Amino acid sequence: MSSLGVKLPLTYNTADGHTMIRDFQTLVRQNFKMLILTSPGERVMEPEFGVGVRNYLFENFSNSVYVDIESEIRKQTAIFLPVISIRDIAFDRSNPDANTLGIRIVYDLPDVGITDLLEFTI
């Protein structure tokens, strides 16, 4: 079976050499996560690519910060991953003093009829 890309982080697989991504849903989820975690200027030849969510880690979390993050996620997704239609973005606000940020994004892939969830904490 053909593959669509390399799964990150790189891991060794005896069949392929590296573990490969074989389905569209997993590939889009990985690309979406990379878009959110990459800081602008970090990607070679694409200085505007990335949300840079780690840059917000030590902010005083207020509604305006969450609105800024959500706006940036939506803007970057529209530019670099237009195949994704974001349904909802939610933030874990349970422990603002822990210097962590939990993000939960529900999104659709309308062209293939898939709804998926991206959830992580940084």
Side-chain angles (χ1 to χ4, degrees):
M1 178 180 196
S2 64
S3 59
L4 299 171
V6 178
K7 186 173 182 185
L8 298 175
L10 292 174
T11 55
Y12 181 73
N13 181 321
T14 57
D16 299 321
H18 293 289
T19 305
M20 305 301 285
I21 295 175
R22 295 193 181 339
D23 64 286
F24 187 66
Q25 183 176 359
T26 304
L27 179 66
V28 170
R29 185 183 309 122
Q30 176 176 288
N31 289 344
F32 194 23
K33 187 173 181 180
M34 291 302 135
L35 177 68
I36 293 169
L37 294 177
T38 301
S39 294
E42 187 176 359
R43 185 166 178 179
V44 177
M45 302 296 288
E46 281 288 352
E48 302 299 316
F49 180 88
V51 173
V53 76
R54 288 182 300 228
N55 298 336
Y56 294 97
L57 264 183
F58 296 101
E59 291 286 331
N60 291 323
F61 289 118
S62 64
N63 284 338
S64 66
V65 172
Y66 293 119
V67 168
D68 289 348
I69 296 169
E70 181 173 347
S71 172
E72 192 63 24
I73 290 171
R74 289 183 186 277
K75 182 179 97 179
Q76 288 285 319
T77 302
I79 295 169
F80 293 104
L81 288 172
V83 69
I84 292 176
S85 174
I86 296 175
R87 275 192 187 185
D88 184 51
I89 300 175
F91 299 97
D92 179 8
R93 302 173 188 215
S94 61
N95 192 0
D97 296 327
N99 291 327
T100 61
L101 178 61
I103 302 175
R104 183 178 194 273
I105 304 172
V106 178
Y107 62 94
D108 295 320
L109 304 173
D111 294 342
V112 291
I114 295 174
T115 298
D116 203 0
L117 169 70
L118 178 63
E119 189 172 33
F120 57 92
T121 301
I122 57 166

